[in-house]
Amino acid sequence: MANKTIGCALEVHKALGPGLLESACQECLFYKLKLKGINVEKQKPMLLIFEDVKLEIGYRIDLLVENKVIIEIKSVESLKDVHLAQTLTYMRLGGFKLGLLINFNVSLLKQGIKRVINGDL
């Protein structure tokens, strides 16, 4: 599923180029994935469970593909450790093993894609 998602992201980036807001990239990728018949949710809330308390504190996954792959979208000069930490946090909270951290603000999108795997889950 990650490869299909990356293919859609490449199509979006090829058509629109770098420089768009993250929200625009998210909407375009969401549209493209839906068009291809892929089950995708946007801005999916993530609960934080601490002891026996479920806390809704504003965590949201940009896109969740087929209820398996987290997509975290950025449009920044360069990806930072904090972006990776955010993706890993969402993966841990949701029990997901695969995430894609995609920075649309690059000349070649393949340079802005980071596959994140958490084998501890």
Side-chain angles (χ1 to χ4, degrees), residues 4-5 8 26 68:
K4 288 182 181 181
T5 302
C8 288
Q26 176 183 307
K68 293 180 182 176

Side-chain angles (χ1 to χ4, degrees), residues 20-100:
L20 293 177
L21 295 173
E22 290 173 16
S23 57
C25 297
Q26 176 183 307
E27 287 297 325
C28 292
L29 183 54
F30 176 78
Y31 167 78
K32 199 66 165 169
L33 290 166
K34 288 293 246 186
L35 194 64
K36 302 251 181 187
I38 296 170
N39 180 24
V40 59
E41 298 175 73
K42 64 180 170 181
Q43 290 298 307
K44 181 166 177 64
M46 290 296 303
L47 291 176
L48 172 63
I49 300 173
F50 177 71
E51 296 178 354
D52 292 330
V53 179
K54 293 181 181 179
L55 304 167
E56 294 184 39
I57 56 174
Y59 288 125
R60 294 189 178 276
I61 298 172
D62 286 342
L63 298 174
L64 180 60
V65 178
E66 296 290 341
N67 205 33
K68 293 180 182 176
V69 182
I70 288 180
I71 311 300
E72 185 60 31
I73 295 172
K74 299 296 176 197
S75 184
V76 293
E77 189 174 319
S78 63
L79 292 174
K80 306 288 185 197
D81 289 343
V82 68
H83 301 132
L84 177 59
Q86 179 184 19
T87 305
L88 285 167
T89 296
Y90 292 159
M91 291 170 66
R92 188 177 65 250
L93 290 175
F96 301 105
K97 292 186 179 184
L98 179 61
L100 293 173

Side-chain angles (χ1 to χ4, degrees), residues 3-14:
N3 289 336
K4 288 182 181 181
T5 302
I6 291 170
C8 288
L10 288 168
E11 289 180 39
V12 169
H13 190 268
K14 182 178 179 183

